[in-house]
Amino acid sequence: MEALRDEPLWTPAVQRPRSLHEAWELKRTFGRDGVYVAGSTLLRTQWEAGTVSMPKSLIDLRGIEDLADIDEDGGGLSIGALADLSRCRRSAALGHMAPAVQEAVRCIAAPAVRNLATIGGNIASGYGDCLPALLVCDAELAVFDGKFLSRRRVEEWLADRWSGMHPQEDILTGIWLAPPAGPAGSRRIEIFRKVGRREAFTPSLVTVAIGCFIDSEGRLSGVKIAAGGGSGRPQRLDIAEAVLEGASIGKEQLASVFEAVVTQFETYGDPFATVEYKKKTAGNLIVAELWKALEGSAGKGDH
Amino acid sequence: MLDKYAANPGDRDNLPESARDAEENRCALGGAEAMQGMPNNPDCADASLPAEPGETLITLSCRINGQPVTAEVPPSRRLLTVLREEFGLTGTKRSCELGRCGACMVLIDGRPVNSCLTMAYQCEGAGITTIEGLSGGGLHPVQQAFLEEGGFQCGYCTPGMVISVVALLSENPKPAPEEVEEALSGNLCRCTGYGGIMRAVNKAIEKGVG
């Protein structure tokens, strides 16, 4: 009978703030006993798995206006943190502005989960599969700190998130994507790839993302490469980027890129995949996608 | 553990699933017996789950299979539990409870969601459709297609599969094969009867369901 899991004998209270200020104050009052929620799909699985305790209070952000909007604004794209992943998956504007992000969204969970889960929740976890894609798109995150709403680059936000330095009360309110601007005559390449233990609806083992411009002579510029996966920290791979910046893709560069990725990518082993396997997988994915780009048949996300 | 469960009369989940469903005389695909569920049972229209001491309750008001209902429930109670234990709608299946298998799929405002991941407070004011409420009587055409094509073996995943297909075809009546695969990617058939399931989906598409 122990195999039968039931719900805990108590459930948290739900707070329903109507403004960012109110939500922020509630979090400050509750401290670790209160958690911001929206779709709560990740949190629910963590509670069920016993990896995270159910808090005493849920601070439901869904009652705050405008946090789920997707708006084209000043040439860029603003995505509210509470936009659900299905909406992001269908957004033509997101597909145009940041195809790698949209592909990452497509690869998260399954449609029914994406109907509940929000892009903000995926990011706020600190390791969601959107993050490598956002890193190569130079995205910024809008954060409310109790007084002001400010934008921070994803890399900076991640650094604080993983160092534990960011104030727990901060509220992620949205994502800002500027239109990618490359040299005249160049075209944008954006790629996201995910490898899990099965083909679909599976947590990631390794994710990679590539963003760059390629000119008519095959030279690359603005190269950004990132990797993550599982609950590991998403990270830029700047050694591999440096190999490719200003270069044309050739076999020699690809060999160097592979070595750079395997050397720099910091990840973790688990019972199903060793560190070495994940490093090699990241290297192979990146090189394979670059090769496809060279062949003029880049994978999903290329435009 | 046994004593704890035995002490809760509403906790039928101690029984093997097949025994519970047999006891309640409902079948996975729906039909006349399944339609004896909540919508036709006035005793189930208002319900309340027992709360633990100190637990806060909310009054959940929503529509289930077209019928307005209220229930006094803890706010973070799983919708799956509310449907099965409060309203007797056991066509919605309990399985992984982690959003991984799709057996508990229902429609909320027309969109498929995993009821094991959905909390009661998130359903306030929503329109929920379970497998029992897909059609006003008889079988929904997607259910009929599953029957005709043998789209199930043990049948445990079937309500979730049917819900996902209904949602897909109502939004996209002529989906491409890869769109069908994506739409059903959250529904696992542990009997691996995917061949029959895909035939059923294709038949529903051919019949113009949606």
Side-chain angles (χ1 to χ4, degrees), chain A residues 1-2 5-7 9-12 16 38-40 44 48 60 84 89 110-115 201, chain B residues 1-2 11 14 52 55 74 76 78 81 94 96 98-100 105 111-112 114 119 121-122 124 182 185-186:
Chain A
M1 293 308 295
E2 290 296 334
R5 286 174 291 119
D6 208 335
E7 294 188 71
L9 292 177
W10 58 276
T11 58
R16 294 187 168 100
S40 73
R44 187 93 217 176
E48 297 288 351
D60 181 15
D84 66 55
R89 164 88 173 93
V113 180
R114 293 198 292 265
N115 283 338
F201 195 21
Chain B
M1 290 295 284
L2 280 170
D11 222 322
N14 287 307
E52 293 298 318
E55 205 169 39
S76 60
R78 280 190 297 244
T81 306
R94 178 181 179 180
C96 76
L98 284 166
R100 300 272 167 85
M105 203 81 79
R111 304 171 85 197
N114 304 79
M119 292 183 265
Y121 80 90
Q122 295 174 309
E124 287 184 25
E182 182 176 341
S185 62

Side-chain angles (χ1 to χ4, degrees), chain A residues 107-160:
Chain A
C107 295
I108 294 170
V113 180
R114 293 198 292 265
N115 283 338
L116 291 169
T118 63
I119 193 165
N122 187 262
I123 294 167
S125 68
Y127 52 80
D129 286 347
C130 285
L131 283 161
L134 289 168
L135 280 170
V136 304
C137 293
D138 243 350
E140 295 180 323
L141 302 180
V143 177
F144 180 71
D145 66 3
K147 288 184 178 174
F148 303 107
L149 201 53
S150 57
R151 279 197 212 148
R152 306 193 60 200
R153 294 181 62 233
V154 173
E155 276 178 279
E156 296 168 359
W157 182 88
L158 272 173
D160 281 354

Side-chain angles (χ1 to χ4, degrees), chain B residues 10-36:
Chain B
D11 222 322
R12 298 182 304 273
D13 284 352
N14 287 307
L15 296 170
E17 195 71 31
S18 56
R20 270 176 270 148
D21 286 349
E23 178 190 45
E24 293 165 17
N25 201 21
R26 296 188 172 93
C27 74
L29 273 167
E33 289 174 335
M35 295 311 293
Q36 291 170 4

Side-chain angles (χ1 to χ4, degrees), chain B residues 165-200:
Chain B
V165 175
V166 168
L168 168 68
L169 298 186
S170 66
E171 186 178 310
N172 179 6
K174 297 285 182 189
E178 58 270 22
E179 292 173 315
V180 175
E181 286 182 11
E182 182 176 341
L184 289 180
S185 62
N187 295 82
L188 301 186
C189 170
R190 297 182 202 277
C191 306
T192 66
Y194 293 106
I197 291 166
M198 293 306 288
R199 285 198 307 274

Side-chain angles (χ1 to χ4, degrees), chain A residues 6-90:
Chain A
D6 208 335
E7 294 188 71
L9 292 177
W10 58 276
T11 58
V14 178
Q15 310 295 328
R16 294 187 168 100
R18 307 300 294 181
S19 70
L20 289 172
H21 284 93
E22 191 183 344
W24 189 90
E25 288 292 347
L26 283 166
K27 175 63 179 168
R28 192 174 67 163
T29 302
F30 290 125
R32 293 190 178 278
D33 289 335
V35 171
Y36 293 129
V37 295
S40 73
T41 53
L42 176 62
L43 289 170
R44 187 93 217 176
T45 56
Q46 291 172 335
W47 300 336
E48 297 288 351
T51 55
V52 172
S53 298
M54 207 177 241
K56 290 180 180 170
S57 290
L58 304 178
I59 304 169
D60 181 15
L61 300 176
R62 296 177 310 150
I64 302 173
E65 269 187 73
D66 302 331
L67 284 189
D69 294 347
I70 299 179
D71 292 319
E72 293 181 78
D73 183 14
L77 187 68
S78 166
I79 305 171
L82 267 59
D84 66 55
L85 294 176
S86 291
R87 192 149 168 247
C88 296
R89 164 88 173 93
R90 289 194 302 267

